[in-house]
Amino acid sequence: MGGETEIINSPDILIIEATYGSPKCRRVFKNEVIDLLIDTVTLGLTKHDRVVIYGYYGKLQEVMKILRERGVNEPFIMNRKIYNITRIAEKYGWMIGDYYLENTREAYEVARSSKYIYFEHLSRAKYRRLNNRSLYIVLTGHEFREPIRRIDDRTWLIAFSDHADFDELIQYVELSKPRIIIVDNSREGYPEVFTEELRKRGWNAILIPQP
């Protein structure tokens, strides 16, 4: 569980998601992921002109913040939507800096004169072009076997997720100590499984909406 996670102490009702609410969804390697991400980005910038990172909105901004905190100073380039979300993240205190909107004069100059990192939505990963100029990184939460896996000669898949895994969900409940737990059944994942796992452990867990 991340150090920034806020624990709600002894609530009457705790509403919790269960995207990875199955015991099979355990990332035993979770503490290795950030170091592997930094190493892969650094290697990509050393051997290629640019690194392209694919992920969901929000997750991309979290990675930008981590890269800056870990000393990766190369400029970032991104499309309009990611750019706008990044500006909002900075407004609320995330220190990112040195990022540019694609197709602007500034972005063209950055791409022409220096190595850089380009951020794109995960849905665009299937359109990547495998060439000698880029190294590609695909961020996913749907990986529990290993923290990093090679997809092809230019692409690495890294198990980086905003969602808690099974152990972290259980840990949150145990630290929070709610009287009633409502498991959100409106999203994909394992809400029914997680509800049963909570009940096995003696918690008063309710699945809503009912299947």
Side-chain angles (χ1 to χ4, degrees):
M1 186 179 300
E4 297 179 358
T5 302
E6 181 176 348
I7 304 298
I8 302 174
N9 292 315
S10 302
D12 288 333
I13 298 174
L14 173 67
I15 301 174
I16 192 167
E17 60 96 19
T19 304
Y20 301 129
S22 168
K24 67 182 181 181
C25 298
R26 286 183 161 107
R27 297 189 192 91
V28 296
F29 49 73
K30 62 175 71 74
N31 295 327
E32 306 170 32
V33 171
I34 290 179
D35 286 340
L36 288 168
L37 171 64
I38 299 300
D39 289 346
T40 307
V41 170
T42 301
L43 177 65
L45 291 170
T46 300
K47 298 182 68 174
H48 304 279
D49 290 337
R50 70 173 185 170
V51 172
V52 181
I53 300 178
Y54 297 96
Y56 289 118
Y57 303 129
K59 183 181 294 187
L60 292 176
Q61 283 69 33
E62 184 177 353
V63 167
M64 293 178 199
K65 178 174 177 283
I66 290 170
L67 291 174
R68 292 301 190 227
E69 290 173 346
R70 297 291 291 268
V72 177
N73 297 317
E74 280 75 11
F76 299 159
I77 296 177
M78 60 202 71
N79 64 35
R80 171 68 69 181
K81 186 163 186 177
I82 297 173
Y83 182 85
N84 289 340
I85 295 172
T86 304
R87 291 185 66 186
I88 294 170
E90 281 207 318
K91 178 181 176 181
Y92 287 94
W94 287 27
M95 304 301 294
I96 297 172
D98 201 17
Y99 60 96
Y100 302 89
L101 176 64
E102 67 175 357
N103 298 328
T104 61
R105 180 173 56 83
E106 293 85 356
Y108 281 126
E109 181 61 28
V110 165
R112 186 184 67 82
S113 62
S114 65
K115 294 176 181 289
Y116 66 96
I117 302 171
Y118 184 84
F119 290 88
E120 182 61 279
H121 191 269
L122 185 63
S123 62
R124 301 294 301 174
K126 60 186 176 182
Y127 300 111
R128 67 191 185 280
R129 296 181 179 179
L130 304 181
N131 57 56
N132 292 329
R133 188 168 178 240
S134 302
L135 180 79
Y136 300 98
I137 296 173
V138 179
L139 306 175
T140 179
H142 299 282
E143 177 62 46
F144 297 95
R145 293 175 297 172
E146 49 192 330
I148 185 170
R149 178 161 53 88
R150 193 164 202 153
I151 298 176
D152 53 51
D153 288 343
R154 301 288 172 192
T155 311
W156 291 92
L157 182 148
I158 296 181
F160 186 92
S161 177
D162 292 328
H163 291 283
D165 69 1
F166 176 78
D167 291 327
E168 289 170 322
L169 289 169
I170 292 293
Q171 181 187 17
Y172 189 94
V173 170
E174 291 175 345
L175 290 173
S176 182
K177 297 180 174 60
R179 187 169 61 85
I180 299 172
I181 303 165
I182 293 178
V183 180
D184 182 4
N185 193 30
S186 65
R187 307 172 64 169
E188 293 183 1
Y190 298 92
E192 294 186 42
V193 174
F194 190 59
T195 302
E196 288 305 312
E197 290 293 332
L198 289 172
R199 289 170 179 168
K200 287 179 188 177
R201 290 164 171 76
W203 296 100
N204 184 8
I206 303 170
L207 186 66
I208 294 179
Q210 292 291 323

